[in-house]
Each structure stands twice: as structure tokens, then as C-alpha cells.
Amino acid sequence: MALLIGCIADDLTGATDVAVTFSREGLSVIQVNGVPDATLKVPEADAIVVALKSRTIAAPGAVAQSLAALDWLRRRDARHIYFKICSTFDSTPAGNIGPVGDALCEAIGARLNVVTPAYPRNARTVYQGHLFVGEALLSDTGMRTHPLTPMTDSNLVHVLASQTRHRVGLLPSAVVAQGQDAVAAKLAALGDEGCRHVIADAIDDAQLQTLGAAVTPRMLATGGAGLAAGMAATLRAKTETSRAAAIDWPRGPGVILAGSCSTATLGQLAKVKDTLPQRQLDPIELAKDPGTTQATIDWARQQLGDKPVLIYASAAPEQVAAAQAALGRDRAAQVVEDALREIASALAAAGVNRFVVAGGETSGAVVEALGVRALAIGPEIAPGVPWTRAADGKPYALALKSGNFGGPDFFTRAFEVAP
Ligand code: ADP
């Protein structure tokens, strides 16, 4: 069976988002966490998604990881390579969407990289190169104050241009609306003008289908789960899909670990404020008193039972700003991630086998702590957020949520729909 598409995702929840999208579109999917080493055995699949943790690390590291993943996927004869980025284009002027895109183009010999984070199903649309979340421009949303990748400019042509020395063009919605041939002609023209990257508008699913069909003949494309879905519709015709093996789901105690400070997560936490046993982690406290993490673990062990136990560092922008002022941005994030890592492994040792994690970076840290390398995709809790089952012998079910994903009742719903 041919590997129709090899996907390099710049964070873990983004990887899961694209994996579930391929799965929903009828492709068989395996998700691998971290750059796979040569010895890792994975079942054959139409799509393999490699989840990196490269969104916010220094650009050279992100490039190196992405090229290593590319190499592994190409050894499996991947017909296409998809660079999966966040649907809110999370990045900084230093990268990493530009540097990784440049490196992939060079390694593959691709002339043009079509880029769009549009995902209308999750209310992300791109029009005239500007990214909207619902009715608001990206820069007018909570992303403006994101702890790691504050997005203050909604014009993605500008944002990407600041990350690459190559030219960035625009494929406007008016052209996409004319269909695949018009798109192909415009892309050829932009390539002739010297563009290396092209931000593609897409305001609805029909436009993503058109883009998907237009980019599938190319070796490389970049985007959110939306463009991946558009491509999957074209790739599906080539699949020899096997049945996914029946998944054996664990039923033991559950825990919710939240490190996301996104607006959606804060709302979801408010909803379970009075119903779950819970503790908040304060980065300043964590930095001051190393015993805080152990005390939290001891407390949580006493609480394990029918109800999931909630441990969160998530905080409102003022509190985040105070922690960052006291510790610096990176150290504030680091103490939180370290604490959640330690808590996850201690609670796993105490018998917890169902983990709901809120936050992309946070999920990366927790999965790393649990040592999970490969995941099988299960039922969706919210669009783009499925339950997953460790596919490498570990006894865990995991729901990994990008901060902004899920409705207000996400945490309750997660355990209601748990298989
Ligand atoms: P999202 O998916 O919402 O972007 P992430 O987990 O990717 O969530 O990013 C949130 C970052 O904020 C993490 O690095 C986390 O450690 C950090 N963080 C969490 N709580 C706090 C806090 N109270 N103060 C400062 N940083 C925090």
C-alpha cells in the first residue's frame, strides 16, 4: 500500500487535528509523536502524520526536526508532503512557518509552496490574505496576547514575508472561486514572478476542495486541517484503505491537565469550576517552591475516583503577564510544562489511564512525559479533537486539545463520549 501523504505537523494537537481530518475523509491514519527513529515500526497507512514540537523552538531546530521527519517519510515513499501549521498561523517573526517552508521546498525541489490556514469548519477563513476567526480579524482575538506566539497582524502575506527571504504572493478568493484551472494558471504566474510561497484565500469548504485538487499534483503544500481535508477528497480516490483494527479502550481514573491560556480553554475551565476536584498551579509559586508539584501530586492521588481530577495552570491575561514579568516568558512556560510533565508521569504510575490535556505545547509535554510514540485515532469529542489510544503498547487513552478548540462543555463532554 502506498503512503499517499506524509504529514509534518508543528505541534501535537495540530497533528491530531489533521490525523482525525484524514480519518474522517476515509483515509487510514497513523500518528507518530516526535521524529521517528529508524527502528520504529508503524502499520501501513494511507497517511502518516509526524507530530513535532517545533512551533515555538528556535528556527534551526525546527528546520532540523522537519527535515528528519521528511527523510523518514520519503523513505516510506510518501507521494506528497504536507506541512501542518496552526489554523491561527501561530508563529513569530523568527519563524517557524517561513524557515521550515523554505527548507522543505529546497529539500524536495518544490518550486512553490501553497499555504493556507483556512478551516471554515472551525471558523477560520482567509480573505485577501487576512485571517479571520469567526467575524474577527485574527489580531482582534485572544491570539493577540498568546503567551508564546502573539499574533498582532492578520495579513498573512506580511506575516510570512517577515519569516522568509523569498517572495510571498497571494492567491485571491476571486481566483479560487473560478475553479481549479484558474488556480493552476495563477499559481504558475506567481511562480514565474519569483514567489516561493503563496498565501491562498479560502472562505468556504468549496474553495478548500478547489485548492486541494489544485495542490495535490504538487509535492508540497502547507496549511491547517482544512486544506488537508481538501486534499484528502482528491487522495481518497487512490486509497486501498484497510479497516482500522478494533481499539481496546482503558476505563480507569481520568485527569484533566490544562496549560492553555486561550480564551476557549478559560471558558471551558469556568464551566467545571464547581463540579470537579481541582488545583491551580501558579508559575511564580512553582519557581519559588519546588515542593509545590509534589504536593499537587499527593493531593491528586487522594482524589482519584469516578470524577476526573483537574489540574491547571491556565490563567487570565493579567495573571499570565504578572508571571511573565516575574520570571520571563520562557521560564514561566517552562516551570508550568515541567510541573505538568512530572504530574502526568506520577499520576500514570498511580493508575490514571485517561488523560485530557488542554494546550498544544502542554500536550506535547505530557505525551513526552508518558513516553507515547504512536496513536490510533478514536471518536471525536469536538471537531479536530478525538480520543486517541496509545498504539505502542502503553495503556493510555488521551484527548489532546489545542487551546482554542472545543465548545464550552468540552471537559464534561470528553468523559461523556469516552469509549
Ligand atoms: P494553546 O494551545 O492555547 O496555545 P499551549 O499549551 O500551546 O496552549 O501554550 C500555552 C503556554 O502558556 C504553555 O507553554 C504554558 O506552559 C504557558 N502557561 C500556562 N499557564 C501559564 C501562566 N499562568 N503564566 C504564564 N504562562 C503560562
mmCIF file of all heavy atoms in Angstrom, residues 90 146-148 259-262 281 283 313-315 319-320 323-324 332-334 336-337 358-362 401-404, ligand 1:
data_model
loop_
_atom_site.group_PDB
_atom_site.id
_atom_site.type_symbol
_atom_site.label_atom_id
_atom_site.label_comp_id
_atom_site.label_asym_id
_atom_site.label_seq_id
_atom_site.Cartn_x
_atom_site.Cartn_y
_atom_site.Cartn_z
ATOM 1 N N ASP A 90 0.026 30.398 14.164
ATOM 2 C CA ASP A 90 0.901 30.713 15.308
ATOM 3 C C ASP A 90 2.367 30.700 14.900
ATOM 4 O O ASP A 90 2.895 29.672 14.483
ATOM 5 C CB ASP A 90 0.707 29.684 16.431
ATOM 6 C CG ASP A 90 -0.700 29.698 17.002
ATOM 7 O OD1 ASP A 90 -1.583 30.275 16.349
ATOM 8 O OD2 ASP A 90 -0.890 29.133 18.079
ATOM 9 N N HIS A 146 -1.371 35.828 23.086
ATOM 10 C CA HIS A 146 -0.902 34.455 23.309
ATOM 11 C C HIS A 146 0.469 34.492 24.000
ATOM 12 O O HIS A 146 1.330 35.290 23.628
ATOM 13 C CB HIS A 146 -0.811 33.718 21.970
ATOM 14 C CG HIS A 146 -0.516 32.254 22.117
ATOM 15 N ND1 HIS A 146 0.755 31.796 22.364
ATOM 16 C CD2 HIS A 146 -1.305 31.168 22.083
ATOM 17 C CE1 HIS A 146 0.715 30.465 22.465
ATOM 18 N NE2 HIS A 146 -0.528 30.066 22.293
ATOM 19 N N PRO A 147 0.664 33.610 25.012
ATOM 20 C CA PRO A 147 1.925 33.673 25.760
ATOM 21 C C PRO A 147 3.179 33.468 24.896
ATOM 22 O O PRO A 147 4.236 34.024 25.208
ATOM 23 C CB PRO A 147 1.800 32.519 26.770
ATOM 24 C CG PRO A 147 0.350 32.199 26.857
ATOM 25 C CD PRO A 147 -0.267 32.610 25.561
ATOM 26 N N LEU A 148 3.095 32.654 23.857
ATOM 27 C CA LEU A 148 4.303 32.337 23.080
ATOM 28 C C LEU A 148 4.313 32.949 21.685
ATOM 29 O O LEU A 148 5.365 33.328 21.176
ATOM 30 C CB LEU A 148 4.451 30.810 22.953
ATOM 31 C CG LEU A 148 4.542 30.040 24.272
ATOM 32 C CD1 LEU A 148 4.582 28.547 24.016
ATOM 33 C CD2 LEU A 148 5.772 30.472 25.061
ATOM 34 N N GLY A 259 -2.799 23.663 30.381
ATOM 35 C CA GLY A 259 -1.761 24.691 30.398
ATOM 36 C C GLY A 259 -2.078 25.787 29.399
ATOM 37 O O GLY A 259 -1.330 26.751 29.265
ATOM 38 N N SER A 260 -3.191 25.612 28.696
ATOM 39 C CA SER A 260 -3.582 26.610 27.705
ATOM 40 C C SER A 260 -4.193 27.822 28.399
ATOM 41 O O SER A 260 -4.986 27.676 29.328
ATOM 42 C CB SER A 260 -4.618 26.012 26.759
ATOM 43 O OG SER A 260 -5.265 27.047 26.062
ATOM 44 N N CYS A 261 -3.817 29.017 27.933
ATOM 45 C CA CYS A 261 -4.426 30.244 28.470
ATOM 46 C C CYS A 261 -5.333 30.862 27.418
ATOM 47 O O CYS A 261 -5.664 32.049 27.485
ATOM 48 C CB CYS A 261 -3.333 31.219 28.895
ATOM 49 S SG CYS A 261 -2.208 30.509 30.106
ATOM 50 N N SER A 262 -5.706 30.071 26.420
ATOM 51 C CA SER A 262 -6.562 30.573 25.350
ATOM 52 C C SER A 262 -7.966 30.845 25.873
ATOM 53 O O SER A 262 -8.419 30.205 26.833
ATOM 54 C CB SER A 262 -6.636 29.553 24.221
ATOM 55 O OG SER A 262 -5.355 29.309 23.726
ATOM 56 N N LEU A 281 -2.113 25.687 39.374
ATOM 57 C CA LEU A 281 -0.667 25.843 39.541
ATOM 58 C C LEU A 281 -0.301 27.274 39.186
ATOM 59 O O LEU A 281 -0.707 27.769 38.134
ATOM 60 C CB LEU A 281 0.083 24.889 38.611
ATOM 61 C CG LEU A 281 -0.148 23.386 38.816
ATOM 62 C CD1 LEU A 281 0.468 22.612 37.655
ATOM 63 C CD2 LEU A 281 0.451 22.933 40.136
ATOM 64 N N PRO A 283 2.795 29.735 38.252
ATOM 65 C CA PRO A 283 4.203 29.646 37.863
ATOM 66 C C PRO A 283 5.149 30.282 38.881
ATOM 67 O O PRO A 283 6.235 29.757 39.137
ATOM 68 C CB PRO A 283 4.267 30.400 36.532
ATOM 69 C CG PRO A 283 2.872 30.520 36.044
ATOM 70 C CD PRO A 283 1.960 30.344 37.216
ATOM 71 N N ALA A 313 -2.825 25.294 34.971
ATOM 72 C CA ALA A 313 -2.007 26.494 35.169
ATOM 73 C C ALA A 313 -2.630 27.655 34.409
ATOM 74 O O ALA A 313 -2.228 28.811 34.584
ATOM 75 C CB ALA A 313 -0.601 26.255 34.675
ATOM 76 N N SER A 314 -3.589 27.313 33.564
ATOM 77 C CA SER A 314 -4.277 28.298 32.728
ATOM 78 C C SER A 314 -4.689 29.495 33.568
ATOM 79 O O SER A 314 -5.185 29.324 34.682
ATOM 80 C CB SER A 314 -5.530 27.677 32.115
ATOM 81 O OG SER A 314 -5.228 26.389 31.620
ATOM 82 N N ALA A 315 -4.483 30.682 33.024
ATOM 83 C CA ALA A 315 -4.814 31.884 33.781
ATOM 84 C C ALA A 315 -5.186 33.001 32.813
ATOM 85 O O ALA A 315 -4.829 32.955 31.637
ATOM 86 C CB ALA A 315 -3.623 32.289 34.640
ATOM 87 N N GLN A 319 -2.889 37.646 34.812
ATOM 88 C CA GLN A 319 -2.083 36.734 35.635
ATOM 89 C C GLN A 319 -0.882 36.204 34.856
ATOM 90 O O GLN A 319 0.201 36.059 35.392
ATOM 91 C CB GLN A 319 -2.942 35.545 36.071
ATOM 92 C CG GLN A 319 -3.634 35.730 37.394
ATOM 93 C CD GLN A 319 -4.450 34.493 37.704
ATOM 94 O OE1 GLN A 319 -5.516 34.295 37.119
ATOM 95 N NE2 GLN A 319 -3.950 33.648 38.585
ATOM 96 N N VAL A 320 -1.114 35.919 33.562
ATOM 97 C CA VAL A 320 -0.016 35.448 32.707
ATOM 98 C C VAL A 320 1.043 36.544 32.620
ATOM 99 O O VAL A 320 2.236 36.292 32.780
ATOM 100 C CB VAL A 320 -0.536 35.071 31.298
ATOM 101 C CG1 VAL A 320 0.620 34.776 30.360
ATOM 102 C CG2 VAL A 320 -1.475 33.871 31.374
ATOM 103 N N ALA A 323 3.103 36.699 35.757
ATOM 104 C CA ALA A 323 4.071 35.587 35.850
ATOM 105 C C ALA A 323 5.233 35.826 34.894
ATOM 106 O O ALA A 323 6.404 35.594 35.246
ATOM 107 C CB ALA A 323 3.380 34.264 35.529
ATOM 108 N N GLN A 324 4.902 36.337 33.706
ATOM 109 C CA GLN A 324 5.966 36.570 32.720
ATOM 110 C C GLN A 324 6.872 37.716 33.149
ATOM 111 O O GLN A 324 8.080 37.684 32.917
ATOM 112 C CB GLN A 324 5.354 36.838 31.340
ATOM 113 C CG GLN A 324 4.688 35.590 30.768
ATOM 114 C CD GLN A 324 4.157 35.784 29.363
ATOM 115 O OE1 GLN A 324 3.829 36.915 28.975
ATOM 116 N NE2 GLN A 324 4.049 34.702 28.610
ATOM 117 N N ALA A 332 8.496 31.101 32.606
ATOM 118 C CA ALA A 332 7.126 30.904 33.113
ATOM 119 C C ALA A 332 6.506 29.681 32.445
ATOM 120 O O ALA A 332 5.908 28.824 33.102
ATOM 121 C CB ALA A 332 6.279 32.152 32.865
ATOM 122 N N ALA A 333 6.681 29.593 31.119
ATOM 123 C CA ALA A 333 6.120 28.447 30.383
ATOM 124 C C ALA A 333 6.822 27.158 30.814
ATOM 125 O O ALA A 333 6.184 26.127 31.008
ATOM 126 C CB ALA A 333 6.272 28.662 28.883
ATOM 127 N N GLN A 334 8.134 27.265 31.000
ATOM 128 C CA GLN A 334 8.928 26.069 31.321
ATOM 129 C C GLN A 334 8.538 25.465 32.670
ATOM 130 O O GLN A 334 8.365 24.249 32.774
ATOM 131 C CB GLN A 334 10.419 26.451 31.322
ATOM 132 C CG GLN A 334 11.361 25.272 31.292
ATOM 133 C CD GLN A 334 11.185 24.444 30.017
ATOM 134 O OE1 GLN A 334 11.122 25.010 28.940
ATOM 135 N NE2 GLN A 334 11.067 23.141 30.156
ATOM 136 N N VAL A 336 5.769 25.646 34.203
ATOM 137 C CA VAL A 336 4.438 25.039 34.095
ATOM 138 C C VAL A 336 4.548 23.694 33.369
ATOM 139 O O VAL A 336 4.019 22.674 33.832
ATOM 140 C CB VAL A 336 3.474 25.989 33.348
ATOM 141 C CG1 VAL A 336 2.198 25.265 32.947
ATOM 142 C CG2 VAL A 336 3.148 27.207 34.200
ATOM 143 N N GLU A 337 5.250 23.687 32.240
ATOM 144 C CA GLU A 337 5.358 22.444 31.464
ATOM 145 C C GLU A 337 6.084 21.362 32.268
ATOM 146 O O GLU A 337 5.682 20.196 32.257
ATOM 147 C CB GLU A 337 6.054 22.703 30.123
ATOM 148 C CG GLU A 337 5.147 23.482 29.172
ATOM 149 C CD GLU A 337 5.775 23.765 27.813
ATOM 150 O OE1 GLU A 337 6.606 22.970 27.354
ATOM 151 O OE2 GLU A 337 5.414 24.802 27.222
ATOM 152 N N ALA A 358 -5.238 20.156 27.774
ATOM 153 C CA ALA A 358 -5.592 21.377 27.048
ATOM 154 C C ALA A 358 -4.344 22.207 26.791
ATOM 155 O O ALA A 358 -3.636 22.588 27.734
ATOM 156 C CB ALA A 358 -6.612 22.193 27.841
ATOM 157 N N GLY A 359 -4.089 22.469 25.506
ATOM 158 C CA GLY A 359 -2.936 23.269 25.098
ATOM 159 C C GLY A 359 -2.011 22.455 24.213
ATOM 160 O O GLY A 359 -1.722 21.284 24.509
ATOM 161 N N GLY A 360 -1.571 23.067 23.123
ATOM 162 C CA GLY A 360 -0.705 22.367 22.177
ATOM 163 C C GLY A 360 0.647 22.042 22.786
ATOM 164 O O GLY A 360 1.078 20.880 22.822
ATOM 165 N N GLU A 361 1.313 23.063 23.301
ATOM 166 C CA GLU A 361 2.624 22.852 23.916
ATOM 167 C C GLU A 361 2.478 21.923 25.123
ATOM 168 O O GLU A 361 3.301 21.043 25.366
ATOM 169 C CB GLU A 361 3.218 24.187 24.387
ATOM 170 C CG GLU A 361 3.521 25.171 23.276
ATOM 171 C CD GLU A 361 4.675 24.712 22.396
ATOM 172 O OE1 GLU A 361 5.591 24.068 22.912
ATOM 173 O OE2 GLU A 361 4.632 24.984 21.182
ATOM 174 N N THR A 362 1.432 22.169 25.870
ATOM 175 C CA THR A 362 1.177 21.383 27.071
ATOM 176 C C THR A 362 0.993 19.913 26.715
ATOM 177 O O THR A 362 1.534 19.022 27.373
ATOM 178 C CB THR A 362 -0.079 21.937 27.781
ATOM 179 O OG1 THR A 362 0.104 23.345 27.968
ATOM 180 C CG2 THR A 362 -0.309 21.277 29.114
ATOM 181 N N LYS A 401 -6.095 18.582 23.291
ATOM 182 C CA LYS A 401 -6.876 19.685 22.742
ATOM 183 C C LYS A 401 -6.019 20.918 22.531
ATOM 184 O O LYS A 401 -5.388 21.406 23.471
ATOM 185 C CB LYS A 401 -7.989 20.035 23.733
ATOM 186 C CG LYS A 401 -8.961 21.069 23.223
ATOM 187 C CD LYS A 401 -9.951 21.446 24.307
ATOM 188 C CE LYS A 401 -9.408 22.537 25.199
ATOM 189 N NZ LYS A 401 -9.437 23.865 24.556
ATOM 190 N N SER A 402 -5.998 21.424 21.331
ATOM 191 C CA SER A 402 -5.398 22.723 21.086
ATOM 192 C C SER A 402 -6.223 23.755 21.867
ATOM 193 O O SER A 402 -7.448 23.634 21.938
ATOM 194 C CB SER A 402 -5.447 22.997 19.586
ATOM 195 O OG SER A 402 -5.012 24.292 19.324
ATOM 196 N N GLY A 403 -5.548 24.731 22.456
ATOM 197 C CA GLY A 403 -6.209 25.645 23.383
ATOM 198 C C GLY A 403 -7.551 26.181 22.935
ATOM 199 O O GLY A 403 -8.525 26.164 23.684
ATOM 200 N N ASN A 404 -7.616 26.625 21.683
ATOM 201 C CA ASN A 404 -8.825 27.299 21.223
ATOM 202 C C ASN A 404 -9.937 26.359 20.784
ATOM 203 O O ASN A 404 -11.005 26.814 20.407
ATOM 204 C CB ASN A 404 -8.476 28.236 20.064
ATOM 205 C CG ASN A 404 -8.022 29.586 20.585
ATOM 206 O OD1 ASN A 404 -8.630 30.117 21.504
ATOM 207 N ND2 ASN A 404 -6.951 30.113 20.037
HETATM 208 P P1 ADP B 1 -2.517 26.851 23.404
HETATM 209 O O1 ADP B 1 -2.887 25.600 22.666
HETATM 210 O O2 ADP B 1 -3.689 27.578 23.987
HETATM 211 O O3 ADP B 1 -1.609 27.725 22.593
HETATM 212 P P2 ADP B 1 -0.166 25.945 24.800
HETATM 213 O O4 ADP B 1 -0.087 24.852 25.810
HETATM 214 O O5 ADP B 1 0.368 25.639 23.425
HETATM 215 O O6 ADP B 1 -1.694 26.381 24.720
HETATM 216 O O7 ADP B 1 0.588 27.255 25.273
HETATM 217 C C1 ADP B 1 0.330 27.844 26.494
HETATM 218 C C2 ADP B 1 1.681 28.170 27.143
HETATM 219 O O8 ADP B 1 1.448 29.024 28.254
HETATM 220 C C3 ADP B 1 2.393 26.940 27.683
HETATM 221 O O9 ADP B 1 3.766 26.992 27.370
HETATM 222 C C4 ADP B 1 2.191 27.040 29.182
HETATM 223 O O10 ADP B 1 3.227 26.413 29.916
HETATM 224 C C5 ADP B 1 2.164 28.534 29.389
HETATM 225 N N1 ADP B 1 1.424 28.895 30.599
HETATM 226 C C6 ADP B 1 0.419 28.206 31.185
HETATM 227 N N2 ADP B 1 -0.034 28.838 32.265
HETATM 228 C C7 ADP B 1 0.701 29.960 32.381
HETATM 229 C C8 ADP B 1 0.684 31.040 33.306
HETATM 230 N N3 ADP B 1 -0.182 31.054 34.342
HETATM 231 N N4 ADP B 1 1.578 32.028 33.115
HETATM 232 C C9 ADP B 1 2.441 32.005 32.082
HETATM 233 N N5 ADP B 1 2.495 31.025 31.176
HETATM 234 C C10 ADP B 1 1.631 30.004 31.307
#
